[in-house]
Amino acid sequence: MHPITTFPSSTATPDHRTVLNAQGIPDDAAVPKRVASLIDEGLEIFTGLVEATGLRAEITVEEFGAIYDGDGRNAPRTPLEGILPDAHRLALFAVTVGEAVCGEIRRLFGEGNPALGYALDTIASAGAEKLVDAMAHDYQEGISQSEPTLSSVRVLPYSPGYCGWHVSGQRKLFDVLDPQRISISLTDSCLMQPLKSVSGVLVAADKEVHDFDVDFAFCTDCADQDCRERIQTVFLDSRGGQ
Amino acid sequence: MDVLSEIAASLRSGDDKRVAQLTQQAIDDGLPADEILNDGLMSGMQVVGVLFRDHEIFLPEVLLAARAMNAGVDLLKPLLAGGDVPTIGKVVIGTAKGDLHDIGKNLVGIMLKGAGFEVIDLGNDVTAERFVDTAVDSGAKVIGISALLTTTMSSMKDVTDLVRDRGLAGEIHTIVGGAPVSKEFADEIGADGYGYDAANAVEQVKTLTGG
């Protein structure tokens, strides 16, 4: 059985600036005092309620192939198909900030406090992403220590619902990883509950392997294209950045 | 500055305590409740909507203003005819079938209320039948559907199809929005409107209702 990781709240808590950016407020904008206080209040609530947990399970490329195919609804061509053959190691993962935070977001909206509800929602989303980063970082560190020949590999996460991997792939991923153990369940439409949860596969590969051109059919429908940013971190990290 | 202008200004800065205090003062001064609502609270919220549309303020400031507006409206409600806040139309909103991501939908609902609409929020994971039945039963002229995922946005078409199949096209308008949704997609499924953000959604609803 795959061990459960419990993260300290500090690992999941994003910084003030990240939250402001996520709320559409750029670095150079003057932040009204009331908005700054709102973020502080949201961060305090988040720190008090977050129950940050995660699961990770090593898997072979062959085993992952069956999961990745899911219900056969992936895009005809996807970045992972090109990356997988050159991957050194893979691990399934799931992380969550817990139901208490999500329940509080609903309560705040329901009780007519959308400003704080939205602040907490933004914080929780950023928090879930921080947990993915922590999970990827731990995996990369573990590989470097156990296999010194792989010390230059870089780990990036990929999730169902993105980059051509159909969201129905969640079902097979859940069958193998069993994230119900950390209280993440799957709806009929393959959404995770608590909502502020992330699952997928961590891919450990040489940094060049992670790079791909944004020329897939689904890229034109992608609103944020934040894959470029994620890929860039691999190269920054290898130059001592980040 | 008169008390109504002060209410509008305090609402603009998101000061809910001051808005409540000034609203109470206006009531105590004997100003009619509908005048306080229209010339104080709604007037302030309209300015907030314009500033947000013009990218002069950010979303959290709009939400703080909405909270301040609620603080004032709560005091006025008992004084308004039948305890009801007068509205300029009804809008049914919800997330598409299968979708649980409701933040965008909630923001649109808050801004619609701020603009004077009555909002019937059906919540998450709403079937096409429920959207249309509720609009018919309540007399709402607009159905707003939100989706965050490409996999759930397809169920928006079920709603636009059902409106057409029941012969309600032109009588009940549909508007769609959400991260993966585009104007092209809205046109493709036969939606009457597309809101690229919460403020734009309100503008679109106003256009659809002739406001």
Side-chain angles (χ1 to χ4, degrees):
Chain A
M1 192 174 282
H2 324 300
I4 292 172
T5 305
T6 302
F7 299 96
S9 62
S10 57
T11 302
T13 306
D15 61 50
H16 198 99
R17 175 50 61 188
T18 301
V19 181
L20 287 171
N21 290 163
Q23 296 213 324
I25 302 175
D27 288 342
D28 57 356
V31 181
K33 265 188 189 168
R34 280 183 212 287
V35 173
S37 302
L38 198 65
I39 305 297
D40 287 339
E41 194 179 346
L43 285 167
E44 197 177 322
I45 293 171
F46 180 79
T47 306
L49 292 178
V50 65
E51 297 158 336
T53 52
L55 269 180
R56 194 177 75 210
E58 191 87 22
I59 190 168
T60 66
V61 172
E62 292 72 28
E63 288 167 333
F64 179 69
I67 294 171
Y68 188 60
D69 287 344
D71 296 345
R73 297 164 71 184
N74 290 347
R77 191 172 72 89
T78 70
L80 261 183
E81 286 168 0
I83 291 167
L84 288 174
D86 294 318
H88 293 296
R89 303 259 296 266
L90 301 175
L92 300 178
F93 77 94
V95 294
T96 183
V97 300
E99 176 53 29
V101 173
C102 298
E104 183 64 7
I105 295 167
R106 288 193 297 274
R107 192 188 70 76
L108 287 167
F109 271 100
E111 292 190 355
N113 195 348
L116 188 55
Y118 181 58
L120 188 57
D121 183 89
T122 314
I123 291 164
S125 293
E129 291 302 324
K130 279 200 76 188
L131 292 179
V132 177
D133 291 345
M135 196 62 113
H137 181 261
D138 287 352
Y139 188 47
Q140 187 170 299
E141 289 291 299
I143 291 172
S144 296
Q145 283 167 18
S146 63
E147 293 187 64
T149 54
L150 296 181
S151 62
S152 64
V153 299
R154 293 292 175 265
V155 172
L156 277 185
Y158 296 83
S159 294
Y162 297 90
C163 295
W165 185 2
H166 196 270
V167 73
S168 61
Q170 291 277 31
R171 290 196 192 96
K172 286 191 175 173
L173 189 152
F174 266 59
D175 287 345
V176 176
L177 188 61
D178 196 16
Q180 288 89 339
R181 291 177 55 227
I182 52 171
S183 301
I184 305 177
S185 59
L186 210 55
T187 68
D188 290 343
S189 51
C190 294
L191 298 185
M192 286 180 284
Q193 285 186 302
L195 266 183
K196 304 301 179 186
S197 305
V198 184
S199 67
V201 64
L202 298 172
V203 178
D206 296 330
K207 62 179 188 291
E208 294 79 10
V209 173
H210 288 296
D211 201 5
F212 59 83
D213 294 328
V214 191
D215 60 356
F216 296 88
F218 46 82
C219 293
T220 51
D221 295 329
C222 180
D224 50 24
Q225 301 214 341
D226 64 356
C227 60
R228 306 320 303 164
E229 228 170 274
R230 292 191 301 127
I231 291 166
Q232 193 60 27
T233 62
V234 170
F235 291 91
L236 285 172
D237 185 41
S238 65
R239 289 198 301 265
Q242 285 292 62
Chain B
M1 194 187 287
D2 64 62
V3 69
L4 296 180
S5 303
E6 261 196 89
I7 288 174
S10 299
L11 188 140
R12 152 73 186 87
S13 61
D15 189 343
D16 56 340
K17 289 185 178 64
R18 183 74 181 139
V19 167
Q21 193 181 34
L22 289 164
T23 303
Q24 189 58 55
Q25 185 188 319
I27 294 167
D28 294 344
D29 287 349
L31 288 176
D34 57 348
E35 194 178 323
I36 303 170
L37 179 71
N38 292 325
D39 299 341
L41 298 170
M42 295 295 288
S43 165
M45 205 62 200
Q46 273 169 9
V47 173
V48 168
V50 170
L51 290 171
F52 181 64
R53 185 199 63 198
D54 294 345
H55 307 290
E56 288 181 35
I57 59 172
F58 299 105
L59 187 54
E61 295 167 274
V62 179
L63 299 176
L64 283 168
R67 183 167 72 178
M69 170 127 176
N70 287 340
V73 167
D74 283 349
L75 292 170
L76 290 179
K77 262 185 188 170
L79 306 174
L80 293 162
D84 291 329
V85 178
T87 65
I88 58 172
K90 283 183 193 170
V91 184
V92 173
I93 62 170
T95 70
K97 175 71 185 149
D99 211 320
L100 302 178
H101 299 88
D102 59 3
I103 292 298
K105 179 264 298 172
N106 291 342
L107 298 178
V108 170
I110 289 159
M111 295 189 71
L112 281 170
K113 281 182 193 167
F117 287 94
E118 179 183 343
V119 176
I120 301 171
D121 186 347
L122 298 180
N124 306 327
D125 192 13
V126 183
T127 62
E129 289 74 16
R130 194 155 167 246
F131 270 119
V132 178
D133 289 346
T134 306
V136 170
D137 294 346
S138 66
K141 298 294 177 207
V142 180
I143 295 173
I145 319 151
S146 161
L148 185 72
L149 304 172
T150 51
T151 45
T152 55
M153 64 194 256
S154 57
S155 56
M156 289 172 157
K157 186 173 183 300
D158 297 339
V159 183
T160 55
D161 284 350
L162 191 58
V163 168
R164 198 172 46 249
D165 292 349
R166 289 197 186 172
L168 297 167
E171 188 181 329
I172 294 177
H173 304 287
T174 51
I175 176 169
V176 296
V181 180
S182 63
K183 173 77 169 68
E184 290 71 28
F185 175 78
D187 291 342
E188 190 183 310
I189 65 169
D192 300 304
Y194 158 67
Y196 59 79
D197 64 17
N200 182 247
V202 174
E203 295 291 320
Q204 295 292 321
V205 170
K206 281 181 178 171
T207 303
L208 289 172
T209 55

